[in-house]
């Protein structure tokens, strides 16, 4: 698979498989359970009342949530039986996967960039973690989504702030943080930013200290090593 094809595969897996895999506990659930202890192979899904994603006091709500999900799937199955697969795919699954793709895209671009550091246990602080995000312009979608992508840094710092104050707060935070080199902003058009991230943000070297994303494109191929 070439570099461009792998980037396209990255985009496809993130946007169309990322959300279901996250809910099932197979992607992006972190390394720690709700108790702060390492998961050590445990699956932190969103459906089991015993999942370490949630504290025990929420088990009743998790059971209710999972029951309604199963009921919804049963209802969709009945509709497919009654009216056929095509109408259900067009009217439900199509919009469902589009919404999920857009949600994951925003989250991916808000928190992923070659310039964003990843902190190990000995380096992480709340402020460092809060500043590990990046603002981007999203064009007309800023209007539809209340600037959630272009004011995300301030959202991390003041998560209870209403969206209509985020623009003013971002200007103030930028004035304070930018001279210190702590405000992250990328003016790249979001489609190009997505492609660049898909090509450059693949892995970090470890979980200790301060880490930055590396690209598999920079890893020498076996044939290249043989030439050396």
């Amino acid at each position: 698979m070439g570099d461009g094809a792998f980037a396209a595969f990255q985009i496809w897996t993130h946007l169309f498989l990322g959300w279901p895999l996250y809910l099932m506990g197979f992607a992006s659930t972190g390394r720690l359970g709700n108790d702060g202890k390492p998961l050590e192979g445990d699956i932190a899904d969103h459906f089991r009342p015993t999942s370490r994603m949630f504290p025990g006091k929420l088990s009743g709500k998790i059971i209710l949530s999972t029951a309604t999900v199963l009921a919804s799937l049963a209802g969709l199955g009945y509709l497919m039986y009654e009216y056929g697969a095509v109408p259900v795919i067009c009217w439900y699954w199509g919009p469902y996967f589009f919404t999920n793709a857009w949600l994951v895209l925003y989250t991916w671009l808000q928190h992923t960039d070659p310039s964003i550091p990843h902190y190990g246990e000995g380096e992480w602080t709340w402020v460092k973690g809060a500043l590990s995000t990046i603002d981007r312009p999203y064009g007309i979608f800023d209007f539809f989504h209340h600037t959630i992508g272009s004011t995300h840094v301030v959202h991390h710092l003041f998560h209870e702030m209403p969206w209509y104050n985020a623009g003013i707060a971002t200007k103030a935070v930028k004035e304070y943080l930018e001279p210190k080199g702590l405000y992250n902003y990328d003016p790249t058009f979001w489609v190009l930013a997505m492609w660049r991230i898909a090509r450059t943000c693949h892995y970090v070297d470890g979980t200790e200290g301060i880490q930055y994303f590396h690209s598999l494109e920079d890893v020498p191929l076996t044939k290249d090593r043989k030439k050396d």
Side-chain angles (χ1 to χ4, degrees):
M1 181 182 292
D3 295 332
F6 182 72
F9 178 74
Q10 279 272 91
I11 293 172
W12 183 79
T13 54
H14 274 79
L15 302 193
F16 295 100
L17 299 180
W19 185 247
L21 290 176
Y22 168 67
L23 293 180
M24 290 186 289
F26 297 131
S28 299
T29 54
R31 300 191 304 274
L32 305 178
N34 72 85
D35 55 1
K37 298 179 181 179
L39 289 173
E40 296 181 341
D42 289 347
I43 297 176
D45 62 274
H46 289 67
F47 302 108
R48 293 176 301 129
T50 57
S51 170
R52 292 182 60 195
M53 174 69 71
F54 307 105
K57 65 180 181 180
L58 296 180
S59 60
K61 293 182 178 180
I62 302 305
I63 292 173
L64 178 62
S65 174
T66 302
T68 57
V69 169
L70 293 175
S72 298
L73 292 174
L76 290 168
Y78 171 77
L79 291 174
M80 292 178 70
Y81 172 80
E82 190 73 17
Y83 301 103
V86 174
V88 176
I89 291 173
C90 291
W91 291 101
Y92 181 81
W93 290 114
Y96 173 85
F97 277 105
F98 178 83
T99 301
N100 286 354
W102 192 247
L103 172 65
V104 172
L105 173 63
Y106 252 81
T107 306
W108 192 22
L109 295 185
Q110 285 167 343
H111 304 98
T112 310
D113 194 80
S115 65
I116 298 297
H118 295 250
Y119 298 103
E121 185 176 354
E123 292 286 345
W124 186 89
T125 65
W126 186 88
V127 174
K128 286 181 178 179
L131 294 177
S132 297
T133 184
I134 186 166
D135 286 345
R136 305 179 188 275
Y138 291 85
I140 193 172
F141 297 108
D142 268 340
F143 170 78
F144 290 114
H145 297 140
H146 303 314
T147 66
I148 191 174
S150 55
T151 61
H152 202 66
V153 172
V154 79
H155 166 73
H156 270 216
L157 293 169
F158 310 102
H159 64 276
E160 295 182 350
M161 179 187 299
W163 69 269
Y164 47 80
N165 288 332
I168 297 175
T170 293
K171 292 180 180 178
V173 167
K174 180 179 179 180
E175 289 179 2
Y176 179 76
L177 293 178
E178 196 167 42
K180 304 176 185 296
L182 297 175
Y183 176 72
N184 299 308
Y185 179 78
D186 177 18
T188 307
F189 181 50
W190 65 268
V191 175
L192 299 178
M194 175 183 66
W195 181 252
R196 187 186 69 227
I197 288 171
R199 295 198 63 159
T200 59
C201 297
H202 298 150
Y203 70 96
V204 294
D205 289 326
T207 60
E208 303 296 329
I210 302 175
Q211 303 284 342
Y212 290 88
F213 270 119
H214 299 296
S215 172
L216 291 174
E217 295 183 15
D218 299 327
V219 177
L221 300 177
T222 302
K223 61 180 181 181
D224 296 329
R225 291 179 176 176
K226 288 181 178 179
K227 290 179 181 179
D228 296 337

